[in-house]
Amino acid sequence: MFRALTPIVKNLLLITVGMHVIASFFLPQLKGLFALYYIDSRNFMPFQFVTYMFMHADFWHLLSNMFGLFIFGPLLEQFLGPKKILILWMVCGVGSGVLYSGYVAYNMGQLNNRIETFAENPDPEEFNRFVSDNSHYFNAGIYDFIDEYSRDADNTELQERAKRNMLGIRDLKANIPMVGASGALFGILIAFGMLFPNTQLFLLFPPMPIRAKYLVLFYGLYTVYNIFVSNPTDNVAHFAHLSGLLIGAVLVTYWKRDRQNFY
């Protein structure tokens, strides 16, 4: 697997690593500007659907994505050609950002409806449930307020304070950025699994051999599991990963239709 780097893979590695170095040590404001935000956020810009792929949260985030590209990318580029590997990377990256933005917009819509329902009928129990669902955003003092509000549910000042807390959480969620090339990498991963399903890979953790198709299946199931579990403290954009898998699968299936040209 550790073959000589192919041109597109090498350039993607150089550009992405270079952007991380620039954003980390020279122009830190780039990370905030180039990250992808919720489309109704004051920080959202359309070009972020492309630029977010070249930003990473930290060194380990960068390393995991670039290591995957380094391992799976060269053989795919040799098989698909430079044009198709670049299309695969960019379409899966941009596409996963677009689909993830739709997923976030849906969740934000649900959150807005919940806040509007509370505003129409302020209820301490509903506020308590809201805090429970978003407990990682609050400090311990919120529970003293819940007790106070529960004892005096008709107090308009406490109702307004509860609503302001809910709106504050909405604003926090609306301005959480997404960065990383994971969506693009998952497109590479599914393409590798579809084109070389029986290729034997050797995992580092745990140290064991596994066929490419089973590795892809594991990642797919793990991603779906995390979407349904929806751990509020998990800051990984699992839906973007799933989107990259789906888009990559569609692209490879489309290319395989014209087998004479594809092979």
Side-chain angles (χ1 to χ4, degrees):
M1 297 298 296
F2 291 91
R3 61 190 74 251
L5 285 177
T6 47
I8 297 299
V9 169
K10 179 175 69 175
N11 287 327
L12 287 172
L13 288 169
L14 288 173
I15 292 169
T16 308
V17 172
M19 289 298 293
H20 180 74
V21 170
I22 292 171
S24 297
F25 300 103
F26 301 103
L27 295 172
Q29 64 271 27
L30 284 184
K31 189 171 288 186
L33 178 64
F34 286 170
L36 178 60
Y37 290 88
Y38 169 51
I39 56 175
D40 276 347
S41 166
R42 59 184 176 275
N43 297 313
F44 171 74
M45 298 290 287
F47 61 74
Q48 293 168 353
F49 285 119
V50 175
T51 57
Y52 89 97
M53 299 166 53
F54 299 97
M55 297 288 105
H56 285 80
D58 52 38
F59 171 76
W60 296 108
H61 187 205
L62 174 74
L63 179 63
S64 63
N65 282 335
M66 295 303 97
F67 183 70
L69 176 60
F70 174 77
I71 292 296
F72 298 105
L75 183 58
L76 275 175
E77 183 172 345
Q78 290 178 0
F79 187 77
L80 294 171
K83 181 179 178 181
K84 281 191 170 73
I85 190 72
L86 182 59
I87 290 172
L88 179 67
W89 182 263
M90 294 303 299
V91 170
C92 289
V94 174
S96 63
V98 172
L99 292 181
Y100 180 74
S101 293
Y103 174 73
V104 171
Y106 171 79
N107 287 331
M108 290 300 296
Q110 297 290 100
L111 179 59
N112 286 329
N113 290 338
R114 189 172 185 179
I115 295 173
E116 289 172 7
T117 299
F118 175 83
E120 293 171 0
N121 181 29
D123 178 12
E125 287 302 317
E126 172 56 27
F127 181 71
N128 190 19
R129 286 191 290 269
F130 181 89
V131 171
S132 179
D133 292 340
N134 298 277
S135 58
H136 57 294
Y137 289 108
F138 292 96
N139 58 41
I142 193 65
Y143 297 105
D144 294 331
F145 170 72
I146 290 174
D147 289 339
E148 181 184 2
Y149 183 25
S150 298
R151 290 193 299 267
D152 192 6
D154 295 326
N155 188 316
T156 56
E157 182 179 343
L158 297 179
Q159 292 172 358
E160 282 300 313
R161 184 176 167 187
K163 182 180 176 182
R164 287 197 301 271
N165 272 281
M166 297 173 80
L167 291 172
I169 298 304
R170 184 195 65 183
D171 289 343
L172 279 175
K173 290 188 172 185
N175 289 287
I176 296 175
M178 182 176 76
V179 294
S182 299
L185 178 61
F186 271 68
I188 294 289
L189 185 64
I190 189 69
F192 193 95
M194 292 175 69
L195 297 173
F196 310 105
N198 294 312
T199 298
Q200 197 88 328
L201 306 171
F202 194 84
L203 300 179
L204 296 177
F205 305 104
M208 58 175 286
I210 186 173
R211 294 185 188 274
K213 60 185 177 183
Y214 298 130
L215 180 64
V216 173
L217 178 62
F218 168 78
Y219 272 117
L221 293 176
Y222 178 73
T223 299
V224 172
Y225 166 78
N226 279 285
I227 290 172
F228 280 103
V229 169
S230 189
N231 182 351
T233 63
D234 188 353
N235 61 356
V236 176
H238 295 288
F239 191 85
H241 296 177
L242 180 63
S243 298
L245 285 173
L246 294 175
I247 295 169
V250 169
L251 272 176
V252 172
T253 301
Y254 173 75
W255 286 333
K256 287 178 70 174
R257 289 174 58 190
D258 188 359
R259 288 180 176 268
Q260 184 174 2
N261 180 55
F262 186 69
Y263 293 109

